[in-house]
């Protein structure tokens, strides 16, 4: 897989990530506040319509923090995936003229979504204080594992879509739809506990289900501790990641000719 | 400086591109899915890269490189010349690892740095300083390496006062200078440079060439693509001439460049299409001949900066009564239109309805007008003074030679798009020299 080469180019990944972050909020008035506004406003709207009016259950946790906790990893995933799937096309002139490991582009895209997530988390800390909800130490230790799962899922799907995007420009139009459908197929506005077993485990075939539920469990103690559903999700994530890596590697030889 | 150690070894290198099939355009998912249904077996690999199967005669294809074999030793500085589309850039891209060959193999020993297009990694919103680091990283440099060379890069680019300004506020020339400067401080074992020296003003071009000369003296292997024959001759000991994806000649720089220039004047300076049916053209006109010759001596091989030359265009007019005008544009090697000319209104047959028949127009270009270099002629036929009905790019290519043997400056380029003979007068105004006391 020539992954050693990628390691030699780690500074390139660093600079590409740095470029994405640096450029993202240039010439905006609100700047980095956008990283908070997006999930926060979504949370407010959800709390009014789903939480208050529709009375969607939230595992006995106040609805606003229930939704916001899920929106953090989801927004990270959606941003990372969206950027990653367009990054190869966006770097067309680079690809045609300079050699570097092409994997650096989608990887840097997903890394570039990390700071926004960290900023959005600061609001979560405030909400925890307001609602007096504190995570247990054990659960908190597992949090990075679940974040890594979200990272790998975004990267795996990003590998697939960015490589396909070079050959089939349909992908560009499909990505926003896919992300929207995926959003509603993931327990963000509602809990996975709406489903009974064995359906709940099967639900884990959507890798983001495991990520979101586990994330919420580790921060809020909601739902049940990670079990079969999260394991199914993790396995799907690994499968998508490894297959995406292979597919990308296989396709990248023709990028410069096709793009 | 060259040693006996191989730096590049290429064997039967072939690169084919499919033409006419949908590969040329972006494949949509629907196309692949319908193909998949129609030809399930043949298309099982539809989701794989569209490798060109050399045995599959069903697809028309064009060979950018066709069974090229050559070896370049460590420390050699090799020029790569040939027409546009001869395969020079494709060869560079394969060596750089940007694209893969269809068949054959290329082995490269050591790290490769390529300078195929300049400044593609720049981000407009970032400052000059930030872009130096970003572009350097894209070119494969380490952060510590870039930091160490940072001051040299800025000095070379001559942009020190603007280093904290976003690149989008730079002029095009400043951007090019900055990009070249970053690349000029790369330290690869093998450097691939493609035509990028044709950027910036003449003074910066000279600086770039000087830098290339310095780099070549450090024992680095360099492959240099250029249309600037003077630069090629000065930088390279060895030159490889490619045409239609194959090596025509490979040898000492002077010999190969001379042979190439001779072929230019022979092949592209006089085209005759005796057969009406096979002649280029359309329903309005067909070309019969396009030629460039020195005024006084039609057999003379070379056109120099002093020689006047004649551009001859002969064509069949197929539509009786058409009011046709020829329009000739002469481009220099940098793609600049040096002049554009049409027959004046009082020329015979100009502005008159033409009976069908064979016509010949001659355009007499005076000597002492153009600078030395390679020129391309584009012919446009205009109907009724305004509507272009036929255009032929590069209908002619010719070289104007410099007659002076030696020049100031080490690569001997006389600056200027044109080179008119301009009278000077110098007088002695007084025999009195003021002295300070």
């Amino acid at each position: 897989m020539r992954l050693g080469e990628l390691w030699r180019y780690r500074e390139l990944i660093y600079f590409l990530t740095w470029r994405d972050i640096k450029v993202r909020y240039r010439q905006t008035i609100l700047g980095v506040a956008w990283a908070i506004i997006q999930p926060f406003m979504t949370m407010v709207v959800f709390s009014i319509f789903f939480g208050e009016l529709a009375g969607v259950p939230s595992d006995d946790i106040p609805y606003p923090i229930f939704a916001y906790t899920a929106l953090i990893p989801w927004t990270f995933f959606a941003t990372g995936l969206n950027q990653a799937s367009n990054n190869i096309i966006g770097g067309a002139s680079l690809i045609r003229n300079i050699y570097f490991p092409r994997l650096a582009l989608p990887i840097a895209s997903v890394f570039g979504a990390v700071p926004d997530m960290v900023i959005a988390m600061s609001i979560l800390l405030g909400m925890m204080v307001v609602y007096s909800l504190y995570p247990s130490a054990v659960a908190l230790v597992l949090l990075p594992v679940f974040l890594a799962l979200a990272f790998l899922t975004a990267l795996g799907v990003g590998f697939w879509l960015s490589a396909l995007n070079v050959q089939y420009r349909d992908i560009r139009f499909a990505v926003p739809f896919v992300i929207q459908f995926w959003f509603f197929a993931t327990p963000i506005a509602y809990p996975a506990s709406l489903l009974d077993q064995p359906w709940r485990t099967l639900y884990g075939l959507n890798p983001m289900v495991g990520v979101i539920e586990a994330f919420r469990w580790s921060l809020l103690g909601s739902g049940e501790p990670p079990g079969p559903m999260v394991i199914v999700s993790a396995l799907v994530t690994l499968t998508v990641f490894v297959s995406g890596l292979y597919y990308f590697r296989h396709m990248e030889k023709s990028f410069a000719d096709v793009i | 400086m060259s040693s006996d150690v191989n730096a590049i070894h290429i064997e039967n290198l072939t690169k084919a591109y499919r033409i006419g099939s949908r590969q040329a355009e972006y494949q949509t998912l629907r196309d692949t899915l319908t193909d998949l249904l129609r030809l399930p077996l043949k298309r099982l690999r539809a989701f794989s890269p569209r490798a060109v199967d050399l045995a599959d005669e069903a697809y028309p294809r064009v060979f950018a490189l066709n069974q090229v074999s050559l070896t370049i030793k460590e420390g050699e500085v090799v020029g790569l010349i040939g027409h546009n589309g001869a395969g020079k850039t494709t060869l560079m891209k394969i060596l750089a690892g940007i694209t893969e060959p269809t068949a054959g193999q290329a082995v490269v020993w050591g790290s490769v740095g390529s300078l195929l297009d300049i400044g593609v990694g720049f981000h407009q919103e970032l400052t000059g300083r930030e872009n130096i680091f970003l572009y350097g990283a894209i070119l494969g440099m380490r952060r510590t390496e870039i930091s160490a060379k940072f001051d040299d890069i800025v000095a070379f680019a001559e942009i020190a006062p603007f280093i904290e300004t976003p690149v989008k506020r730079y002029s095009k020339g400043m951007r090019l200078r900055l990009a070249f400067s970053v690349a000029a401080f790369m330290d690869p074992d093998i450097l691939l440079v493609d035509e990028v020296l044709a950027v910036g003003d003449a003074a910066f071009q000279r600086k770039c060439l000087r830098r290339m000369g310095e780099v070549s003296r450090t024992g680095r292997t360099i492959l240099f693509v250029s249309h600037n024959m003077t630069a090629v001759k000065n930088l390279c000991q060895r030159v490889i001439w490619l045409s239609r994806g194959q090596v025509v000649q490979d040898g000492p720089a002077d010999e190969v460049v001379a042979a190439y220039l001779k072929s230019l004047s022979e092949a592209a300076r006089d085209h005759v299409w005796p057969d009406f049916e096979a002649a280029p053209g359309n329903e309005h006109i067909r070309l019969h001949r396009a030629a460039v010759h020195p005024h006084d001596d039609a057999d003379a091989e070379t056109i120099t900066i002093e020689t006047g030359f004649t551009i001859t265009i002969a064509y069949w007019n197929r539509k009786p009564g058409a009011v046709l005008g020829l329009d000739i544009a002469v481009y220099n090697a940098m793609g600049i239109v040096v002049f554009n000319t049409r027959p004046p209104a009082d020329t015979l047959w100009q502005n008159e309805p033409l009976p069908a028949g064979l016509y010949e127009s001659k355009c007499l270009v005076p000597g002492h007008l153009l600078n030395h270099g390679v020129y391309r002629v584009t012919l446009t036929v205009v109907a009724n003074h305004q509507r272009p009905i036929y255009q032929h790019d590069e209908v002619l290519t010719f070289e104007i030679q410099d007659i002076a043997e030696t020049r100031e400056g080490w690569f001997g380029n006389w600056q200027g798009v044109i080179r008119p003979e301009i009278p000077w007068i110098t007088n002695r105004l007084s025999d009195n020299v003021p002295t300070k006391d």
Side-chain angles (χ1 to χ4, degrees), chain A residues 7-197:
Chain A
W7 178 246
R8 278 203 308 284
Y9 273 87
R10 61 190 179 278
E11 289 193 346
L12 174 62
I13 298 178
Y14 166 81
F15 276 113
L16 288 173
T17 307
W18 168 84
R19 174 195 69 178
D20 284 354
I21 296 167
K22 199 128 197 180
V23 164
R24 186 170 308 146
Y25 298 115
R26 286 253 163 123
Q27 282 206 4
T28 59
I29 295 171
L30 297 177
V32 101
W34 280 111
I36 294 172
I37 292 168
Q38 288 169 18
F40 191 81
M41 292 312 288
T42 313
M43 179 270 287
V44 170
V45 171
F46 279 17
S47 301
I48 294 169
F49 288 98
F50 293 138
E52 286 301 314
L53 297 177
V56 173
S58 54
D59 283 346
D60 300 329
I61 297 223
Y63 192 88
I65 194 167
F66 171 86
Y68 191 76
T69 309
L71 279 165
I72 289 174
W74 175 265
T75 308
F76 164 71
F77 170 77
T79 312
L81 175 60
N82 193 33
Q83 303 275 355
S85 55
N86 285 315
N87 215 339
I88 299 287
I89 298 292
S93 61
L94 270 184
I95 302 250
R96 269 195 296 264
N97 288 297
I98 300 179
Y99 177 78
F100 59 91
R102 308 319 191 190
L103 279 170
L105 285 172
I107 292 175
S109 293
V110 180
F111 270 120
V114 171
D116 279 11
M117 177 175 68
V118 173
I119 293 162
M121 273 195 175
S122 62
I123 293 287
L124 183 64
L125 289 179
M127 289 175 79
M128 284 174 156
V129 174
V130 170
Y131 289 105
S132 305
L133 278 169
Y134 301 106
S136 69
V138 186
L140 209 54
V141 169
L142 284 170
L143 190 65
V145 178
F146 305 135
L147 282 177
L149 273 181
F151 191 91
L152 288 184
T153 313
L155 210 49
V157 182
F159 288 157
W160 273 102
L161 293 183
S162 59
L164 281 168
N165 204 357
V166 175
Q167 195 96 356
Y168 311 103
R169 298 301 161 98
D170 310 66
I171 299 299
R172 196 167 28 136
F173 301 105
V175 166
F177 277 123
V178 168
I179 290 177
Q180 204 173 6
F181 287 140
W182 203 332
F183 178 85
F184 287 108
T186 305
I188 296 161
Y190 55 89
S193 57
L194 284 182
L195 290 170
D196 292 324
Q197 289 293 13

Side-chain angles (χ1 to χ4, degrees), chain A residues 2 7-20 22-23 26-27 89 93-100 102 160 164-172 247 250-259, chain B residues 15 17 23-30 32 46-50 93 96-100 114-117 120-121 123 125-127 129-131 133-135 137-144 146 166 168-169:
Chain A
R2 306 199 310 269
W7 178 246
R8 278 203 308 284
Y9 273 87
R10 61 190 179 278
E11 289 193 346
L12 174 62
I13 298 178
Y14 166 81
F15 276 113
L16 288 173
T17 307
W18 168 84
R19 174 195 69 178
D20 284 354
K22 199 128 197 180
V23 164
R26 286 253 163 123
Q27 282 206 4
I89 298 292
S93 61
L94 270 184
I95 302 250
R96 269 195 296 264
N97 288 297
I98 300 179
Y99 177 78
F100 59 91
R102 308 319 191 190
W160 273 102
L164 281 168
N165 204 357
V166 175
Q167 195 96 356
Y168 311 103
R169 298 301 161 98
D170 310 66
I171 299 299
R172 196 167 28 136
Y247 182 69
H250 182 60
M251 293 297 287
E252 70 177 352
K253 301 168 197 154
S254 65
F255 281 177
D257 295 337
V258 178
I259 205 161
Chain B
K15 177 79 185 181
Y17 289 99
Q23 195 222 14
E25 296 146 38
Y26 303 124
Q27 186 99 3
T28 65
L29 203 51
R30 200 195 56 183
T32 301
F47 283 93
S48 308
R50 314 221 108 204
K93 285 189 173 176
I98 294 167
T99 179
E100 299 230 321
S114 61
L115 199 45
L116 302 188
D117 196 353
V120 288
H123 198 289
E125 297 284 345
L126 299 178
T127 66
R129 174 190 299 277
E130 291 165 342
N131 267 305
F133 281 92
L134 176 65
Y135 190 48
I138 290 171
L139 293 176
M141 289 157 86
R142 310 298 299 267
R143 192 164 19 157
T144 46
I146 305 169
K168 64 179 173 184
R169 309 249 180 270

Side-chain angles (χ1 to χ4, degrees), chain B residues 62-84:
Chain B
V62 56
F63 286 93
L65 287 175
N66 198 351
Q67 306 215 336
V68 171
S69 298
L70 51 93
T71 303
I72 292 170
K73 302 285 183 196
E74 207 173 79
E76 272 193 302
V77 180
V78 179
L80 213 51
I81 61 174
H83 292 288
N84 290 337

Side-chain angles (χ1 to χ4, degrees), chain B residues 122-310:
Chain B
F122 275 15
H123 198 289
Q124 300 293 318
E125 297 284 345
L126 299 178
T127 66
R129 174 190 299 277
E130 291 165 342
N131 267 305
I132 289 177
F133 281 92
L134 176 65
Y135 190 48
I138 290 171
L139 293 176
M141 289 157 86
R142 310 298 299 267
R143 192 164 19 157
T144 46
E145 191 185 341
I146 305 169
S147 299
K149 294 172 175 170
F150 187 84
D151 293 338
D152 290 338
I153 293 172
V154 175
F156 192 90
E158 302 163 18
I159 54 149
F162 310 102
I163 196 68
E164 307 297 347
T165 308
V167 161
K168 64 179 173 184
R169 309 249 180 270
Y170 281 27
S171 71
K172 191 162 182 239
M174 285 163 69
R175 271 201 292 272
L176 292 172
R177 290 209 304 269
L178 182 60
F180 183 88
S181 307
V182 178
F185 287 89
M186 279 194 291
D187 255 335
D189 300 319
I190 299 166
L191 186 62
L192 310 173
V193 186
D194 188 349
E195 199 67 64
V196 288
L197 296 169
V199 301
D201 55 24
F204 191 71
Q205 274 184 45
R206 264 210 303 281
K207 198 164 157 183
C208 294
L209 282 166
R210 210 181 306 128
R211 172 74 196 168
M212 291 267 303
E214 278 167 33
V215 172
S216 70
R217 279 188 291 278
T218 60
R220 201 136 318 145
T221 312
I222 299 181
L223 205 53
F224 177 51
V225 167
S226 180
H227 286 152
N228 179 344
M229 292 302 141
T230 325
V232 168
K233 275 198 281 188
N234 275 284
L235 274 174
C236 314
Q237 306 103 43
R238 175 181 166 193
V239 170
I240 296 167
W241 167 16
L242 285 179
S243 178
R244 295 169 200 275
Q246 289 179 311
V247 176
V248 179
Q249 201 177 347
D250 177 356
D254 288 339
E255 271 176 37
V256 181
V257 167
Y260 171 68
L261 291 178
K262 188 155 179 281
S263 85
L264 269 190
S265 43
E266 281 167 0
R269 256 175 59 183
D270 197 342
H271 296 288
V272 179
W273 296 276
D275 181 10
F276 177 81
E277 289 306 321
N282 55 23
E283 71 275 19
H284 297 282
I285 66 129
R286 284 281 164 92
L287 285 183
H288 175 53
R289 183 172 179 222
V292 178
H293 288 297
H295 277 335
D296 32 16
D297 181 3
D299 292 328
E301 263 184 13
T302 54
I303 301 172
T304 72
I305 50 164
E306 292 182 333
T307 334
F309 57 92
T310 306

